[in-house]
Amino acid sequence: MKIAERQSGIVQLVNERGSISFAEIQSSFPDVSAITLRRDMEALDKRNEIIRIHGGAKSINYIIHTDEGYCNRIIQNAEQKQGIARAAVSLLNPPMSVYVDSGTTALEFSKAFPDDNFLVYTHGLHCAVELSRLSRPEIHLVGGKVSRLSLSIVGSNAIYCLDNTNFDLVFLSAGGYSANRGFTCLGEEECYLRKAVVKRAEKVVMLLDSSKFGKVATYTLATPEEIDVLITDRGIDQMWLEEFRSHDIRVMFCEDFDR
């Protein structure tokens, strides 16, 4: 792989994740030495294409303006995310208590959410704003600390808000999935919150486009045993489908839900 091609790949990876550890970069370039990758990151940092941090790197978008990075993620695999949202809506049956994750796929789900009798909790700021346009659901935004990385609410107060609430359906998203690490995300505090939500769920639905499979983020938020339904697109590799079906996970494809 040529230097320019490799460095371009590093920038793309950092921009996709927003914040990434050096170990994750290494795993994406297994044939490149650690010394070479560190030199690449140093060069990219000097050219202001990424921001080097202790143990990894961050996207320029997140440093300059978090919302710009969020907007970039919205347009990535947008068609698949919209299809996943339509499939997720098909699982709703009022009245239900529902939890909606943060993230761009969850935002598409919030845009498609029906105006009916639901109790809805979320820690996603953009999701809460989108859901607030509806007149019939009762919308709750959990309280706590604002994460600029994910534009969500995190922290112990957010988890405390859920102590006495049970959910019929929980809709989660993730930064990646691998066989060894399960479903993973970048933020530690958001990971703890998602774990708490899973414990309060009757059924957990994972919203994940096929680009996320084989990727590993820093923190494991759920294992396959904790997921009941996976909604994805038909770009997913057959080996992942076989693995999920071995865990009795129902797999739904967004292409089966037309506009």
Side-chain angles (χ1 to χ4, degrees):
M1 180 183 295
K2 295 181 180 179
I3 294 176
E5 182 182 355
R6 185 178 64 244
Q7 292 185 355
S8 176
I10 293 173
V11 173
Q12 181 179 352
L13 185 63
V14 173
N15 286 339
E16 286 177 354
R17 304 285 183 89
S19 179
I20 190 170
S21 70
F22 182 70
E24 291 175 273
I25 294 175
Q26 281 186 295
S27 68
S28 297
F29 298 89
D31 298 327
V32 182
S33 70
I35 293 176
T36 298
L37 288 174
R38 292 188 190 280
R39 287 174 179 166
D40 285 339
M41 292 171 65
E42 182 178 354
L44 292 168
D45 181 80
K46 288 180 179 179
R47 298 202 300 264
N48 293 321
E49 295 185 53
I50 65 170
I51 300 291
R52 290 184 70 194
I53 60 173
H54 179 70
K58 281 191 175 184
S59 167
I60 288 287
N61 287 333
Y62 284 99
I63 301 299
I64 295 175
H65 196 293
T66 300
D67 202 35
E68 184 181 344
Y70 193 91
C71 289
N72 285 342
R73 298 200 303 277
I74 287 176
I75 63 176
Q76 293 171 0
N77 302 311
E79 185 175 346
Q80 290 91 333
K81 291 174 182 178
Q82 292 163 6
I84 288 171
R86 292 192 295 272
V89 166
S90 73
L91 299 175
L92 295 172
N93 185 26
M96 276 183 168
S97 56
V98 178
Y99 195 94
V100 179
D101 203 352
S102 65
T104 55
T105 305
L107 176 59
E108 292 297 338
F109 177 50
S110 300
K111 291 178 180 179
F113 205 93
D115 196 2
D116 214 326
N117 295 322
F118 293 97
L119 173 65
V120 186
Y121 276 72
T122 184
H123 64 277
L125 294 175
H126 279 320
C127 294
V129 171
E130 188 62 43
L131 289 164
S132 68
R133 67 182 169 76
L134 304 174
S135 60
R136 299 182 69 182
E138 181 179 325
I139 311 300
H140 292 255
L141 177 65
V142 300
K145 181 174 67 175
V146 174
S147 167
R148 291 180 176 86
L149 174 64
S150 60
L151 293 179
S152 64
I153 305 298
V154 297
S156 57
N157 286 341
I159 296 174
Y160 178 76
C161 290
L162 305 174
D163 274 355
N164 298 311
T165 308
N166 300 309
F167 300 104
D168 296 309
L169 287 177
V170 165
F171 294 88
L172 293 181
S173 55
Y177 176 82
S178 73
N180 294 330
R181 303 303 171 88
F183 297 93
T184 56
C185 62
L186 283 171
E188 182 178 16
E189 289 185 302
E190 194 164 10
C191 177
Y192 290 143
L193 176 57
R194 285 163 166 157
K195 283 179 173 289
V197 171
V198 167
K199 292 179 181 178
R200 312 299 305 183
E202 181 68 25
K203 182 177 290 187
V204 178
V205 182
M206 181 61 68
L207 314 177
L208 205 65
D209 69 76
S210 61
S211 70
K212 304 294 180 61
F213 294 101
K215 295 183 178 180
V216 180
T218 310
Y219 303 99
T220 297
L221 65 98
T223 65
E225 290 79 9
E226 295 174 300
I227 304 302
D228 299 286
V229 180
L230 169 69
I231 304 179
T232 187
D233 58 86
R234 293 191 182 275
I236 185 174
D237 193 278
Q238 185 64 31
M239 71 172 185
W240 299 119
L241 291 178
E242 292 173 0
E243 179 176 345
F244 293 130
R245 286 164 178 162
S246 73
H247 290 285
D248 294 324
I249 296 174
R250 177 188 176 190
V251 179
M252 299 171 63
F253 298 107
C254 64
E255 290 86 350
D256 296 338
F257 295 83
D258 295 331
R259 292 181 181 276

